[in-house]
Amino acid sequence: ILSGSSFPPSPSGPGRLVRMAAEPSLEKLREILEREGVDNLTAKSARQKLEEAQGLEPGSLKSQKNVISNMLDQLMNEEEEEQDAEEDDGKGDAEEDEEDEEEDEEKKPKKKQKKADPPAAEDENENKGKATCKTKSGGAAPKDLKKMQAKMKMTQAKFLNSKPIEVDICGNILTGQPRTFKSGGLGWDLGGKI
């Protein structure tokens, strides 16, 4: 063993040959990328095609997945640099600096913008997606509901002992029993198929 070597001694002893694990070939991977196209390959399919191109058994490069992934990244970066070089030919330094600044701005994460509502079709209902409430008296629903509820001062025990509510949906009557939820909130257990 040479001094300063970072390789551990062979477990089979000096002078014996040790079978090395299959190594992926960068050149063969480059050929596969050129032939198949980057958009048509996944890391897994590239590894499988590389095994086939190198005449290896299927799955023999599975332990080299990280190495192959790094090789793919390297090849894609090289391709991107070649394309950038082709685009930059014939441009002055000032133009290149402006493009670099524009690219830097594009790479920055953009704040989410609110999506504009699509224009409504003439036959669509204006209230579609809006919750409405029609009271029994025909008046508007109360505006300060929280304040009104605070004045009621209903205790948990009083709520749980209250009678169930009934909701009529197109002739289907759903009955909800008062209950306490896991969160500690109070409400009605109401549901079913209609």
Side-chain angles (χ1 to χ4, degrees):
I1 298 178
L2 299 172
S3 63
S5 172
S6 62
F7 297 106
S10 171
S12 56
R16 293 191 185 171
L17 293 175
V18 176
R19 184 167 182 214
M20 297 296 289
E23 291 291 324
S25 166
L26 183 65
E27 291 307 314
K28 296 245 187 222
L29 193 56
R30 180 176 280 123
E31 291 171 10
I32 292 168
L33 279 176
E34 289 172 359
R35 184 177 65 240
E36 300 290 331
V38 176
D39 296 334
N40 300 326
L41 287 174
T42 63
K44 181 179 181 179
S45 64
R47 177 179 50 82
Q48 291 170 339
K49 290 185 184 298
L50 184 60
E51 290 168 345
E52 186 179 312
Q54 288 186 236
L56 301 170
E57 292 181 25
S60 59
L61 291 177
K62 212 171 207 178
S63 63
Q64 302 288 327
K65 288 196 293 190
N66 290 337
V67 173
I68 294 171
S69 178
N70 290 337
M71 292 170 117
L72 286 169
D73 290 343
Q74 177 185 347
L75 291 171
M76 289 192 301
N77 287 338
E78 287 175 7
E79 185 178 319
E80 192 175 294
E81 288 172 4
E82 288 174 9
Q83 289 175 354
D84 289 345
E86 290 174 5
E87 291 174 2
D88 290 343
D89 287 344
K91 294 183 180 176
D93 288 340
E95 290 176 357
E96 288 179 19
D97 290 342
E98 288 175 14
E99 284 186 3
D100 289 342
E101 289 175 10
E102 289 174 7
E103 288 176 10
D104 290 342
E105 289 176 12
E106 290 175 7
K107 290 179 184 178
K108 291 179 185 176
K110 295 181 180 179
K111 292 182 180 177
K112 291 184 180 179
Q113 297 177 353
K114 292 183 180 178
K115 293 182 181 179
D117 291 335
E122 293 175 16
D123 60 333
E124 282 190 40
N125 183 358
E126 292 178 11
N127 291 329
K128 184 176 182 181
K130 295 180 182 178
T132 60
C133 178
K134 185 175 181 183
T135 61
K136 190 173 184 178
S137 65
K143 301 283 182 200
D144 298 323
L145 191 60
K146 289 284 183 187
K147 289 179 183 175
M148 290 174 63
Q149 288 173 340
K151 291 178 185 174
M152 295 163 103
K153 297 187 181 185
M154 182 178 282
T155 64
Q156 181 177 8
K158 185 176 178 183
F159 176 80
L160 292 174
N161 291 327
S162 65
K163 61 182 180 179
I165 61 167
E166 288 186 356
V167 178
D168 183 358
I169 301 176
C170 298
N172 299 298
I173 298 175
L174 300 173
T175 305
Q177 300 293 330
R179 67 167 281 195
T180 303
F181 295 96
K182 288 180 185 178
S183 64
L186 301 172
W188 293 271
D189 193 10
L190 181 72
K193 293 185 180 182
I194 297 177

